[in-house]
Amino acid sequence: MIGSMVKVIVDRPLGTFHPRHPDIFYTVNYGYIPGVFAPDGEEQDAYILGVHEPVGEFVGKVIAIIHRFDDVEEKWVVAPENVSYTKDEIMEQVAFQEQYFRTEIRM
């Protein structure tokens, strides 16, 4: 899946709060890959990096996978096709939510 182009439907746009955890503020767009199911039975979640305004959907490249050691699911990291980030840069942008989990970034 890393390197694949995917479409993300954004259900938590940049600048919004988590629907059940109002202390989590989305500093990036966040959504799901329609038709791709994660181990939790829901469609695969994805962070979108490199887009600095709220969007409803986005087509981009999977550049990394955030593996959670203490959760059943992983999060995909999607960015514009010609944009890249280091592991540290990715973690910095997703820490608002990933700080609550033990994770590793796979690239």
Side-chain angles (χ1 to χ4, degrees):
M1 69 213 52
I2 292 178
S4 299
M5 295 296 291
V6 296
K7 178 180 178 179
V8 181
I9 303 298
V10 176
D11 56 359
R12 297 180 193 164
L14 179 150
T16 62
F17 290 90
H18 191 287
R20 288 179 301 215
H21 303 283
D23 56 322
I24 298 178
F25 179 76
Y26 285 84
T27 56
V28 299
N29 289 289
Y30 179 87
Y32 61 91
I33 314 295
V36 177
F37 290 89
D40 66 354
E42 301 290 328
E43 288 173 302
Q44 177 63 53
D45 293 327
Y47 293 104
I48 300 171
L49 304 186
V51 177
H52 307 291
E53 59 189 31
V55 296
E57 62 182 53
F58 175 75
V59 175
K61 184 176 181 179
V62 179
I63 62 166
I65 296 177
I66 298 173
H67 174 73
R68 290 179 171 178
F69 292 102
D70 48 2
D71 195 5
V72 68
E73 62 180 320
E74 298 178 320
K75 306 294 181 181
W76 292 5
V77 180
V78 179
E81 191 170 6
N82 296 319
V83 175
S84 63
Y85 293 93
T86 66
K87 289 181 181 183
D88 288 340
E89 290 169 332
I90 291 170
M91 188 52 73
E92 183 178 308
Q93 292 192 51
V94 301
F96 71 92
Q97 183 164 254
E98 294 305 318
Q99 67 183 322
Y100 302 107
F101 300 92
R102 285 187 326 107
T103 65
E104 76 176 2
I105 297 175
R106 298 176 178 171
M107 299 180 81

